[in-house]
Every structure is written in structure tokens, then in C-alpha cells.
């Protein structure tokens, strides 16, 4: 593989995205100055890698994207969410694959919410990368974006980053309220020998964003877009999160002005069916809400 003379890192050509694939040495020695657009792979140990698509340009805001579940027919790693649509909106963004899935690919684990296991939290290396990326782009503000399982990850990440935005679509907010077999598979693969139900109850900051936000009241912003026809997520995830923020009407701006609840009648019924035009509409609304209140 050729070596980039600027970074000293090995690079090859990414066949799908048609940009360089950069092989980083480790997460503590990142070199992000070699390419404006690239896919990066970072060894984490124990067979895991942190992989991300990056587009770096001087922008005031850096967007960070998380993906949802793989499907049984399309089960792969790494996966980068919404690259094609976001690159029409900004030149400063990153799309992360969930490194937990590196293990789950062999175990038929389709979703792991960027939660890792007992000795590994993916948000730790992800935040290291973001901080280095901010030095490259000069961005002062960070927005986390995700739908479904990626929406849970965006909520959790944003709670850790003061002043940030979580723009989420049909997310999970309480893992205990999601499909039992999917949750059980995650715990069986990533937490073998541990009690999943006990962990769900003991660590809300990791597994329950309703309790976490209600108890800690993180100083971030949330724009929550939820398709009203996705009744399972309305009842089990949207409504509890809205109620935790004093939302009796279940839509609109919460009393403290930092959470916006957009319950909408989607063009397509069901979970995760937000159309491109609906995503763009709510993206624009979310960014305007964030910019006017931060």
C-alpha cells in the first residue's frame, strides 16, 4: 500500500466511496491532515476497529452521524449512515460505524447502539476522534444525528457534549422497551455472563435515556422527529421521553426551551420510514432551532 507523505500512513483506494482508505496506527496517534475526504480505519485491539467516513472543511458546525440496525440480509461492518444526503448540506461531517458490530457480525447481532461491553465503551474513542477533527475543521459546535438505534446513540453522545444537538428520528430511548430478542442478543454477545435485566436497571446513563435525561438534565439540545404511525416507538420511547421533559401535549417546545418534539404524520407508515424530503425538512428545522437557542 502507498504511504501518504504528509501523514506517513498507509492508504489504499476505497472501492465503494472512491476516496482514500486511510489506515491509522491507533486512536491516540491520529493523523487527520492527509486527506479532505477519506474513510479511516483505526485498530482498537481485541479484533475491533473504529471506522469512519470523514469530510473535513472549515465550518462552524461539525455533524456526526450514527447508524441503526443492520438487517439479516444486509449484515456487514463498517456501515456509514446518510453520507450521500449529508454531503449536500455541509463539507464538515463524520459518519461512524459501531465497532461493537465487528464482533456481532459473527454472532448475528444486528444492533448494539454504540454501547460496547463491560470493558469497552465506543464513545471513548469516538470522542477522541471528534476532538481531533475539531482541530482540523475549526468547528465550535457539534451535532449528533441518528435514527432508530442510531438515534439512541445520538441522544447519549449529545448528553455528554454540552451545547451539542441531537437530531433524532424514530429513536429508541429505553432499551428495556425495545424488541426483547434483539436486546437479549446484544447482552449475550457483548456482556456474556452478566444479567441484562439487572444492567438495564442499574445503569440508566448507558441504557435508559429517559431516566438519564430526567435525572441529569444534560445541557444539550434535542430535536426529536417521530412518525406518529410508528405506534410501538411512540408508546415505548417517544411518550416517556416527552413526559420526562414536562410535555403534556407531546409535541412542540418543552418548558425549558432546549427540547423540541416533532410528532408528525409520515408519508410512509411504520418504523424508520422517514422519507428524504421529511428528513431534510426536520434537519432544517432542527438546525434552525439549535442555532437560535444555543
Amino acid at each position: 500500500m502507498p504511504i501518504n507523505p504528509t501523514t506517513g500512513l498507509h492508504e489504499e483506494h476505497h472501492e465503494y466511496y472512491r476516496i482514500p482508505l486511510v489506515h491509522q496506527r491507533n486512536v491516540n496517534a491520529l493523523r487527520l491532515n492527509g486527506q479532505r475526504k477519506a474513510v479511516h480505519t483505526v485498530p482498537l485491539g481485541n479484533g475491533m476497529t473504529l471506522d469512519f467516513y470523514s469530510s473535513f472543511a472549515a465550518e462552524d458546525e461539525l455533524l456526526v452521524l450514527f447508524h441503526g440496525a443492520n438487517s439479516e440480509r444486509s449484515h456487514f461492518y463498517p456501515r456509514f449512515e446518510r453520507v450521500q444526503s449529508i454531503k449536500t448540506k455541509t463539507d464538515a461531517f463524520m459518519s461512524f460505524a459501531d465497532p461493537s458490530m465487528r464482533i456481532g457480525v459473527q454472532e448475528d447481532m444486528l444492533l448494539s447502539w454504540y454501547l460496547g461491553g463491560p470493558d469497552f465503551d465506543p464513545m471513548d474513542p469516538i470522542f477522541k476522534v471528534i476532538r481531533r477533527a475539531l482541530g482540523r475543521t475549526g468547528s465550535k459546535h457539534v451535532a449528533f444525528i441518528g435514527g432508530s438505534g442510531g438515534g439512541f446513540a445520538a441522544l447519549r453522545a449529545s448528553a455528554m457534549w454540552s451545547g451539542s444537538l441531537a437530531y433524532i428520528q424514530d429513536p429508541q430511548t429505553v432499551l428495556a422497551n425495545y424488541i426483547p430478542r434483539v436486546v437479549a442478543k446484544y447482552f449475550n454477545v457483548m456482556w456474556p455472563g452478566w444479567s441484562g435485566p439487572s444492567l438495564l436497571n442499574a445503569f440508566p446513563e448507558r441504557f435508559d435515556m429517559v431516566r438519564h435525561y430526567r435525572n441529569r438534565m444534560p445541557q444539550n439540545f434535542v430535536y426529536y422527529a417521530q412518525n406518529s404511525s410508528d405506534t410501538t416507538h411512540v408508546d415505548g420511547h417517544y411518550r416517556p421521553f416527552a413526559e420526562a421533559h414536562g410535555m403534556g401535549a407531546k409535541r412542540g417546545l418543552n418548558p425549558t426551551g432546549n427540547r423540541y418534539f416533532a410528532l408528525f404524520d409520515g408519508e410512509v407508515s411504520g418504523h424508520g420510514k422517514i422519507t428524504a424530503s421529511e428528513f431534510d425538512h426536520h434537519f432544517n428545522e432542527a438546525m434552525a432551532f439549535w442555532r437560535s437557542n444555543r
Side-chain angles (χ1 to χ4, degrees), residues 5 19 26 44 79 105 131 149-150 164 168 181:
I19 56 177
N26 61 71
L44 296 175
R79 174 182 169 189
V105 166
R131 292 188 184 100
S164 68
I168 52 178
R181 62 178 175 80

Side-chain angles (χ1 to χ4, degrees), residues 176-205:
N177 293 349
Y178 194 55
I179 303 169
R181 62 178 175 80
V182 176
V183 176
K185 171 62 75 171
Y186 159 71
F187 280 107
N188 290 338
V189 173
M190 298 304 301
W191 299 76
W194 296 67
S195 167
S198 296
L199 290 170
L200 287 168
N201 183 62
F203 299 103
E205 71 279 4

